[in-house]
Amino acid sequence: MTAYIIRRLLWFIPVLVVVGLVTFTMAQITPGGPFDRNPEQGRRMNPGTERVLRAKFGMDLPVWRQFLRYMFFDVEKDTKTGQNKVVWGAISGNLGPTYRSQGRRTVQDEIFKGTKEKPSKFYYSARLGIQAFIFALLIGVPLGVLAALKQNTWIDYIVLFTATAFYSLSSLILGYLLLLVFASWLNWFTVLSNWDDPIRPWILPTLTLGLSSMGYIARIARSSVLEVKRQDYVRTARAKGLADMRVVWGHIVKNALLPIITISGPMLAGLVTGTLFTELIFQVPGMGRDFVAAVGARDYSMILGMTLFYCFILILMNLIVDLLYGVADPRISLS
């Protein structure tokens, strides 16, 4: 087990390097730059200041060296001592300075650093994603199992219709609908939330994300349970006279969990790292809004840093999913 985990962790490095290379290349071939003069967008910078900033962030270096500098390391001369020093890059967790702040803050500061009064942006995105995931799992799995056990009854039809409806609605439409009904018509919530409140502002965005994910999980759970119900060992268990509940929970549901575990990893990774539309609709001060702002401002280090962070969370979740396979079904070997 330990060797397997270490081997998988080492695979993180080439995956992150490839993702970094693709993102860096796309940023380089995209027209414009973080310090370009663009009067239409109100960005006006003195050419001399721009040259200084480009030199400060190494943007005047050859492209290949910029990439190595960002991903791995570079040797720079210390302005105080005059001696060369090694500056490590993203591979060591240093995601670089943000161009928007002209180097006053790093990407790590933007994502993870909070204050006593206000938590970090990652906290908002992660809490919202985890809440939505737990909601989707707690409601979706029982509904899917119930629909499969009551196949072709009115219960099955209602669950299937509800799950399909919520899954088909995008978070953009669902978010605006919830806001219109519960904040505008019923006045149960405010349109502009006060995020100092620990509960109320989280309810509508959690429902927006959770209902859509719930629909998907319910459909997967139903299909998986129906497939397991037709297996020979389930028929054998019933023929042996085992109680229905023991057959359902001991044989059917347990073996139907693998597809749900498979989709749970990428789903949780997507929910935790910020969901763009939901954060924009409900003005959640999370990472999604920052990513959009970084793209608009061509803040390449911010875009690269957040993309690498998303990728890291995704492959970490896939590793956890693979480990859970062995827990759910000991016949699956991790070797």
Side-chain angles (χ1 to χ4, degrees):
M1 174 73 83
T2 305
Y4 173 80
I5 294 175
I6 293 174
R7 193 163 61 246
R8 288 290 301 272
L9 289 175
L10 290 176
W11 269 106
F12 281 26
I13 298 173
V15 173
L16 290 172
V17 171
V18 170
V19 171
L21 178 62
V22 172
T23 311
F24 181 83
T25 305
M26 291 178 67
Q28 289 295 322
I29 62 178
T30 303
F35 310 123
D36 284 356
R37 301 176 68 186
N38 190 342
E40 291 181 359
Q41 298 181 8
R43 289 192 292 164
R44 301 169 184 269
M45 183 171 288
N46 182 286
T49 306
E50 182 178 343
R51 277 197 300 275
V52 171
L53 287 174
R54 290 180 68 85
K56 177 182 178 181
F57 296 125
M59 297 179 71
D60 55 346
L61 297 172
V63 175
W64 63 269
R65 188 173 168 189
Q66 289 184 44
F67 176 71
L68 293 180
R69 174 192 173 98
Y70 183 83
M71 285 301 302
F72 299 101
F73 66 91
D74 196 15
V75 179
E76 294 180 352
K77 183 168 286 188
D78 194 315
T79 54
K80 294 180 180 176
T81 63
Q83 295 180 339
N84 289 334
K85 64 174 183 179
V86 176
V87 179
W88 294 96
I91 208 74
S92 69
N94 177 19
L95 300 176
T98 62
Y99 297 152
R100 272 190 303 167
S101 70
Q102 298 185 4
R104 288 188 289 272
R105 288 174 64 85
T106 64
V107 176
Q108 304 95 282
D109 290 341
E110 290 288 342
I111 297 175
F112 301 111
K113 197 170 182 179
T115 62
K116 287 183 179 178
E117 295 78 22
K118 187 178 179 183
S120 68
K121 291 167 183 171
F122 177 66
Y123 165 82
Y124 285 100
S125 295
R127 177 177 168 179
L128 178 59
I130 291 172
Q131 287 179 172
F133 179 72
I134 292 174
F135 172 84
L137 210 59
L138 291 180
I139 305 296
V141 173
L143 280 181
V145 173
L146 180 65
L149 296 178
K150 301 291 183 183
Q151 188 184 14
N152 296 329
T153 64
W154 64 270
I155 295 177
D156 183 25
Y157 297 143
I158 290 177
V159 171
L160 203 55
F161 173 79
T162 307
T164 305
F166 281 128
Y167 178 56
S168 303
L169 285 174
S170 71
S171 58
L172 178 65
I173 298 172
L174 194 56
Y176 276 120
L177 278 176
L178 292 178
L179 207 56
L180 185 67
V181 174
F182 294 103
S184 181
W185 292 351
L186 299 176
N187 287 321
W188 291 358
F189 301 92
T190 55
V191 175
L192 295 177
S193 301
N194 174 17
W195 290 97
D196 293 332
D197 189 323
I199 297 177
R200 286 179 64 84
W202 296 93
I203 295 176
L204 289 184
T206 300
L207 285 176
T208 300
L209 289 175
L211 285 172
S212 178
S213 304
M214 179 275 291
Y216 186 46
I217 288 179
R219 288 177 59 86
I220 295 293
R222 179 182 179 274
S223 303
S224 183
V225 169
L226 285 177
E227 185 178 343
V228 174
K229 273 176 66 179
R230 301 188 184 101
Q231 299 296 319
D232 291 338
Y233 62 83
V234 174
R235 295 195 192 96
T236 304
R238 292 189 189 281
K240 286 167 64 179
L242 291 180
D244 274 354
M245 291 302 291
R246 190 171 173 186
V247 174
V248 169
W249 294 106
H251 294 273
I252 297 177
V253 174
K254 182 182 175 184
N255 291 293
L257 285 177
L258 288 181
I260 299 169
I261 293 174
T262 302
I263 63 167
S264 293
M267 179 182 288
L268 181 58
L271 291 173
V272 164
T273 50
T275 45
L276 174 62
F277 293 131
T278 306
E279 290 192 5
L280 285 176
I281 293 169
F282 295 98
Q283 296 296 299
V284 182
M287 295 164 52
R289 294 171 61 191
D290 255 26
F291 189 77
V292 178
V295 172
R298 300 179 182 88
D299 192 342
Y300 297 147
S301 60
M302 193 73 183
I303 297 170
L304 269 166
M306 295 187 79
T307 304
L308 288 174
F309 180 64
Y310 290 156
C311 179
F312 175 79
I313 294 292
L314 182 61
I315 54 181
L316 179 65
M317 289 299 171
N318 281 327
L319 171 60
I320 294 173
V321 164
D322 289 345
L323 296 176
L324 288 177
Y325 280 152
V327 176
D329 189 348
R331 293 172 300 175
I332 298 176
S333 170
L334 291 178
S335 61

